[in-house]
Amino acid sequence: LVDEAEGEEEEEEEEGADGKTSGLKDDAILEVGTKGSASSSKASSDLKSALGIQSAPESSEEAAAAPSSSDQWRASFYASKKDLPMVGSTEGFEEISDEILENMVQNYIEGLVWVLRYYYHGVPSWSWFYGYHFAPLVVDIVRKLDTAAKITFTLDEPFTPLEQLMAVLPFGSRTLLPNGYQRAIEEGDDSIAAYFPQEFGFHLDEKNREWRNTPLIPFVDQALLKAFCAKHEKKLTPEEQKRNAFGPAYSYKYSADSTLPCPATLSAFQDIAKCHCEVTPYRPPAAPENKSLSFEPRLLPGANITVPAIPVGFPTLYALPCATRVDAIGVNIFGWNSRNDSLVLTPRSGVPASEEQFKACVSQLLGKPVLIWPFFEQGIVDTIVTKFGEFSLLPNGRVNNTYYSNEQLQKQRQLAPARWRSRYAVECTDPNLISLKLRVMKGMERTNSGKIAIRYEDTPSRSVPLQCVLHGKAQQVLASRDARYVPRDAPQASDTFKAGCPVVSLQPGNTFGLCGECIEVEDESVRVRLGNLGREPTFSVEIANDIRYKHTFQSVATCARMLKVGPLCLTRVAGSVTFRVPREGNGFRKTDLGLQLKYQGRKLRMWEYSKVDSAGKWLFSEKAVDLMREYRKRYPEVWEAVEADSRKALYSGEVLLGGGAGVDADDVEGNEEWRAKIRQRVEEIGDWLDSQPSASVPLIPSSIESLSQECISLIEEDAEALERKEKVTEKKINASNLFTPHGVSAHAQLQWAGGASSPASADAMELGDRVCYVMDKGPVCFGSRGSVVGLTPMHAHVVFDAVQLSGTTLGGKLRTLRGVEVPRSHLLNLSKAPQHTSGGGGSKKKGRGGGGKKKPANPFALLD
């Protein structure tokens, strides 16, 4: 219960960090039991011992006293559940007797055994189910745990597909069933009518989310269900009968030799011209004689459960010696400090004590790779913070020592330990504490020379205590890791490009961005077959530029001058402004009368009305300014109240009647006439706000850049009208001017070797740019072209020229399913293609400064 309450606190922020759990302490829940029951006392004692909870000793007089609050709570818990449908009653019981509770506990323990046997041996029973909508309390479960070893199951047979649908679908979803079943349900077939009520209630379960409540629908009687389906089976069509039968299982296996076409079985799918897949019927192994079919749980051949000398593979606590204890240190979980105990780890590795040892540590670590415990992320040490100052590495290789005041230095040193304590329950308390600032590995990149090198972050993003990194064994671990992450010399073209692998031309000029396949490799050149679609269209760039110049965003200060209000007042009204409004009768409620164009704390903005610039400042469009101007003209009292005190959290509803009414809080408190007038005014303002076009515009994360609806609609229309004929050509291209995604992981990034500012890099992408998807896996087909209509720091919203199988309407912005969100690093920017550069005006000159074409920088793969 405590864990459940803590999980809900994230969604129910209004409860605050001190949310209660039915007013009970942990110990109170564990002390429940029947008075005078030795087994109950023993069970409670065993459970407390297992959980490490100690209770104060009770005197004999206390034991003979009236039932404790925990006993009363136990009784009220079960009493609140008695109306729920259970096995043996479709409408619950008048009370949950000892016999009913006994059956429930036994059924729950059966469920635990069923799950364990399912995962370790196979399905123990197809017909078993838990026949209650709630679990019994733990103290009632532990009394019968010794029965677990005696539990047996009957295997039975699984439901047919339509029987399974009948068992789980309510009356409102009957249209998913065959027509024959639908009519029988609608006509109220007596044998099944009780299980398909048209109206039913909910058990609230003390939840404030409707979808969490328990619908009061009885559990289906399996015998009646099977009899009903058998009775109406003759009404099924031949296709439905086939759908309802058990069919063979098939094994699908990749085969490069298989190239047979695969026709689509549904209209939403496209035919696969060359399907590299072999399909064979799968027949499970025969069951041993006199035994049911199950599998034997065992370790796979080659599994190693010993602790390796070099900590590679799955992380374990053995990689770093730690002391452990159980303590309530307030570990932060989902934004709230846990009130429960946590397993606290304290690394045993020491830190240098003397200044000489500190200097030796700096020389051994600075600029060197380390592994961050416990998941062995690789990083490079950028800065070391010690009690003697902060040490960092300069570009020339020299060590820079920055001195702070003792207070500043202590704060810098405690940042990493404090975070590790609150987030991971790892304590580093050595007085000679050393913190490392690390640049974490992002992946592998191919340099201009073709070498494969590790790419680290440009700036430190991780602060880690020295005790939580592996540095002595780091090089051994790195050498033992996945070969993809080992730096290596430039590969030969024949190793990178294989016949039939997909390729993208990065050669400047007319072939840039053309997609195709490799034919053969000749030394450092590759003969490729490319699909030439002709000149790349520019409609999206033109539309984006046209709209960008027409619709501009203004700063808060500029908008405030236009409306003649204070900047803080404008930002408050543009966001959230809460008023205290009287209810009918007694009490008050809170109502938001802000325009909700932005939310600073939640980092949300209203599309087409507001956005955040690169400096984090809010900007508003002409449309937003017009809306604010009209709001101020119609209801000036809202603006006057906020202008008078722009930092107030809750405004009084009396101000909405206007300053001339002479109304104050005392007049409203006992005057229903004034209270009704305030409610009427608030309702009028709310109706006006709801009638504005902005009320239906979605809020999106402020980090997203997006074109307007007008822009996106125009781009979609042009994409639909686009007709491009592919002309296949063969060319010989230098291997350095080709990119292949073949063998690259799904998280690979297209990186321009010349740096992030290079023309075709993902970092230089802008709204309206034409792009090409260059990965051979993911939601989009290799070589698909489209237009960028939205950008996030890591992803791009693209309207592709063709409808995509995985496409969406991008939240209702499109009419067709051609919108897809893809990683920016999986796109080649066609709108910023590199151009040929030449020296000496294109003429060939001998000697120094001679002509010829200068070799441009090229995009290469980041093998993440």
Side-chain angles (χ1 to χ4, degrees):
L1 289 174
V2 174
D3 289 342
E4 181 180 349
E6 286 188 358
E8 291 172 1
E9 282 176 354
E10 183 186 11
E11 298 182 15
E12 301 164 10
E13 296 182 3
E14 64 271 11
E15 289 186 9
D18 298 324
K20 303 297 182 183
T21 314
S22 303
L24 292 177
K25 297 181 179 178
D26 301 58
D27 201 42
I29 298 174
L30 297 173
E31 288 180 359
V32 300
T34 306
K35 288 296 177 181
S37 170
S39 61
S40 170
S41 176
K42 176 69 165 56
S44 178
S45 174
D46 291 345
L47 186 59
K48 288 179 187 178
S49 177
L51 298 179
I53 297 176
Q54 297 180 353
S55 302
E58 296 182 357
S59 65
S60 58
E61 291 81 3
E62 291 174 335
S68 66
S69 60
S70 56
D71 292 322
Q72 296 171 0
W73 184 87
R74 175 178 179 272
S76 66
F77 170 80
Y78 286 120
S80 69
K81 310 290 185 182
K82 63 184 178 62
D83 296 329
L84 290 171
M86 306 177 195
V87 171
S89 174
T90 60
E91 298 180 355
F93 296 92
E94 291 186 4
E95 66 174 4
I96 297 180
S97 63
D98 291 342
E99 181 183 357
I100 295 173
L101 182 57
E102 193 87 356
N103 294 334
M104 181 193 306
V105 170
Q106 182 65 25
N107 197 203
Y108 189 85
I109 295 175
E110 287 174 357
L112 299 178
V113 175
W114 191 99
V115 171
L116 290 171
R117 292 189 185 175
Y118 170 75
Y119 279 107
Y120 285 101
H121 297 284
V123 177
S125 171
W126 288 102
S127 59
W128 181 92
F129 69 99
Y130 183 64
Y132 304 87
H133 281 296
F134 64 98
L137 297 176
V138 175
V139 291
D140 294 313
I141 296 173
V142 296
R143 297 191 187 102
K144 293 182 69 67
L145 282 179
D146 58 345
T147 66
K150 306 172 185 176
I151 290 175
T152 60
F153 294 97
T154 303
L155 183 61
D156 289 325
E157 293 181 353
F159 278 170
T160 65
L162 292 182
E163 287 173 347
Q164 182 65 37
L165 285 178
M166 286 286 294
V168 300
L169 292 181
F171 181 85
S173 302
R174 64 191 182 282
T175 55
L176 299 175
L177 296 168
N179 290 332
Y181 289 7
Q182 286 184 47
R183 286 194 296 271
I185 293 172
E186 291 168 350
E187 293 168 0
D189 188 304
D190 293 337
S191 65
I192 206 76
Y195 304 108
F196 290 89
Q198 298 187 36
E199 295 182 359
F200 51 88
F202 287 88
H203 183 72
L204 299 182
D205 279 338
E206 301 180 7
K207 304 287 195 302
N208 60 358
R209 302 285 196 280
E210 184 175 329
W211 56 269
R212 290 182 174 180
N213 298 330
T214 303
L216 300 179
I217 299 177
F219 292 97
V220 173
D221 185 301
Q222 299 185 49
L224 288 178
L225 176 68
K226 286 180 174 289
F228 170 86
C229 292
K231 175 182 175 182
H232 296 279
E233 187 175 9
K234 59 185 178 182
K235 299 178 182 179
L236 299 178
T237 66
E239 183 180 349
E240 289 169 343
Q241 291 178 359
K242 183 179 179 181
R243 167 187 169 197
N244 195 38
F246 292 115
Y250 291 96
S251 171
Y252 295 82
K253 183 179 180 181
Y254 172 80
S255 172
D257 298 330
S258 178
T259 57
L260 294 175
C262 179
T265 56
L266 295 174
S267 59
F269 293 86
Q270 300 174 354
D271 294 343
I272 303 176
K274 293 182 179 180
C275 184
H276 298 288
C277 184
E278 287 183 353
V279 183
T280 56
Y282 172 76
R283 296 179 177 83
E289 190 174 348
N290 300 325
K291 290 185 179 180
S292 61
L293 179 62
S294 63
F295 59 86
E296 179 185 350
R298 63 180 186 274
L299 290 175
L300 292 175
N304 183 9
I305 59 174
T306 60
V307 181
I310 301 174
V312 295
F314 195 84
T316 73
L317 294 179
Y318 290 104
L320 197 68
C322 288
T324 62
R325 77 175 194 278
V326 176
D327 196 1
I329 64 171
V331 176
N332 190 289
I333 301 174
F334 301 123
W336 301 101
N337 292 336
S338 172
R339 299 186 296 272
N340 294 336
D341 287 342
S342 300
L343 178 64
V344 184
L345 305 178
T346 304
R348 288 199 176 106
S349 56
V351 296
S354 65
E355 186 172 359
E356 290 74 18
Q357 290 176 326
F358 273 104
K359 290 180 179 179
C361 178
V362 169
S363 64
Q364 292 172 5
L365 290 178
L366 203 56
K368 304 294 194 305
V370 296
L371 296 177
I372 306 171
W373 176 80
F375 299 112
F376 304 141
E377 292 178 273
Q378 185 174 338
I380 193 165
V381 180
D382 183 271
T383 305
I384 301 177
V385 184
T386 74
K387 66 180 182 180
F388 298 106
E390 182 178 281
F391 300 85
S392 58
L393 201 62
L394 297 174
N396 60 8
R398 299 183 62 182
V399 176
N400 179 50
N401 190 1
T402 304
Y403 293 94
Y404 296 103
S405 66
N406 289 336
E407 182 179 349
Q408 289 176 315
L409 196 58
Q410 185 66 12
K411 184 178 180 180
Q412 286 284 327
R413 293 171 64 209
Q414 291 297 333
L415 284 177
R419 176 177 173 78
W420 277 66
R421 188 179 193 273
S422 66
R423 291 293 302 276
Y424 313 119
V426 175
E427 277 192 338
C428 301
T429 56
D430 196 296
N432 298 313
L433 185 68
I434 294 178
S435 288
L436 309 178
K437 295 181 181 179
L438 307 177
R439 291 187 288 117
V440 180
M441 172 184 174
K442 293 186 67 176
M444 308 296 290
E445 67 177 350
R446 187 179 297 170
T447 65
N448 280 336
S449 63
K451 290 185 177 180
I452 306 298
I454 298 175
R455 186 188 178 202
Y456 295 97
E457 296 173 320
D458 297 328
T459 56
S461 66
R462 202 78 60 87
S463 188
V464 184
L466 175 62
Q467 296 99 313
C468 296
V469 300
L470 271 67
H471 49 89
K473 298 180 179 178
Q475 296 297 339
Q476 291 176 285
V477 173
L478 295 179
S480 305
R481 294 183 69 182
D482 194 317
R484 292 175 299 172
Y485 302 105
V486 176
R488 53 191 183 275
D489 293 333
Q492 300 294 320
S494 56
D495 297 330
T496 304
F497 299 95
K498 305 293 183 182
C501 74
V503 294
V504 182
S505 171
L506 305 176
Q507 183 169 279
N510 296 332
T511 61
F512 181 82
L514 298 186
C515 300
E517 63 179 4
C518 171
I519 300 175
E520 61 178 348
V521 179
E522 302 174 1
D523 296 329
E524 289 303 310
S525 295
V526 182
R527 182 173 293 280
V528 295
R529 185 181 293 112
L530 301 175
N532 194 338
L533 296 171
R535 188 177 182 85
E536 189 65 30
T538 59
F539 59 86
S540 60
V541 178
E542 294 167 359
I543 291 172
N545 289 338
D546 185 50
I547 300 296
R548 188 179 291 122
Y549 294 136
K550 286 182 180 179
H551 302 286
T552 58
F553 283 75
Q554 304 290 341
S555 67
V556 171
T558 302
C559 296
R561 285 195 298 271
M562 295 166 65
L563 298 174
K564 298 180 181 178
V565 296
L568 187 54
C569 171
L570 183 142
T571 56
R572 283 298 307 275
V573 177
S576 176
V577 181
T578 308
F579 283 85
R580 182 173 176 265
V581 182
R583 300 179 184 272
E584 290 188 22
N586 297 319
F588 294 85
R589 60 183 172 85
K590 297 177 181 179
T591 301
D592 187 1
L593 296 180
L595 291 170
Q596 299 177 10
L597 305 181
K598 59 133 186 120
Y599 283 101
Q600 177 73 33
R602 292 159 61 186
K603 297 182 180 179
L604 296 173
R605 69 180 183 91
M606 184 173 287
W607 189 47
E608 296 186 335
Y609 284 81
S610 61
K611 69 177 185 178
V612 180
D613 65 11
S614 58
K617 304 295 183 182
W618 281 102
L619 305 174
F620 295 98
S621 66
E622 297 173 12
K623 191 183 296 188
V625 174
D626 291 340
L627 176 62
M628 289 188 275
R629 184 181 288 111
E630 183 65 20
Y631 190 20
R632 187 163 185 258
K633 179 181 177 181
R634 283 178 174 269
Y635 305 105
E637 60 271 18
V638 175
W639 292 76
E640 290 168 1
V642 179
E643 187 76 63
D645 187 355
S646 300
R647 299 186 182 278
K648 201 170 184 178
L650 184 64
Y651 294 91
S652 175
E654 294 82 35
V655 301
L656 299 177
L657 296 181
V663 182
D664 56 30
D666 293 334
D667 295 327
V668 173
E669 187 64 36
N671 192 321
E672 183 56 35
E673 180 181 354
W674 285 117
R675 295 169 69 91
K677 287 183 178 180
I678 295 174
R679 288 196 299 271
Q680 183 180 356
R681 187 63 167 169
V682 169
E683 186 176 347
E684 178 189 341
I685 298 173
D687 289 344
W688 182 84
L689 290 172
D690 291 340
S691 68
Q692 301 307 302
S694 60
S696 60
V697 178
L699 290 169
I700 60 176
S702 56
S703 60
I704 292 180
E705 295 181 63
S706 179
L707 292 176
S708 66
Q709 179 64 63
E710 178 186 1
C711 254
I712 294 176
S713 297
L714 291 173
I715 289 174
E716 183 180 22
E717 290 176 8
D718 285 355
E720 287 181 302
L722 192 63
E723 294 183 2
R724 307 182 72 182
K725 294 184 178 180
E726 185 178 72
K727 182 181 178 182
V728 178
T729 60
E730 291 189 8
K731 287 185 175 293
K732 183 183 288 188
I733 299 178
N734 190 283
S736 62
N737 286 331
L738 286 174
F739 167 78
T740 177
H742 189 65
V744 178
S745 74
H747 300 289
Q749 298 182 359
L750 195 66
Q751 168 70 11
W752 193 272
S757 60
S758 300
S761 69
D763 296 335
M765 199 172 289
E766 293 181 331
L767 296 176
D769 281 349
R770 294 283 299 169
V771 292
C772 175
Y773 189 80
V774 295
M775 300 304 294
D776 62 347
K777 59 195 74 175
V780 184
C781 293
F782 171 76
S784 296
R785 281 165 151 72
S787 307
V788 177
V789 298
L791 288 171
T792 71
M794 300 298 294
H795 291 80
H797 296 172
V798 182
V799 176
F800 284 94
D801 297 343
V803 173
Q804 299 295 318
L805 185 61
S806 60
T808 71
T809 61
L810 294 180
K813 299 173 187 176
L814 299 170
R815 292 178 290 99
T816 55
L817 301 177
R818 60 181 74 234
V820 184
E821 181 180 358
V822 295
R824 294 171 65 157
S825 55
H826 291 188
L827 299 170
L828 181 65
N829 194 336
L830 303 175
S831 297
K832 296 180 174 61
Q835 302 298 322
H836 278 295
T837 58
S838 59
S843 60
K844 297 181 180 180
K845 296 183 179 180
K846 297 181 180 180
R848 189 174 180 179
K853 294 180 180 179
K854 182 181 177 181
K855 184 178 180 181
N858 291 311
F860 286 107
L862 235 182
L863 310 183
D864 184 12

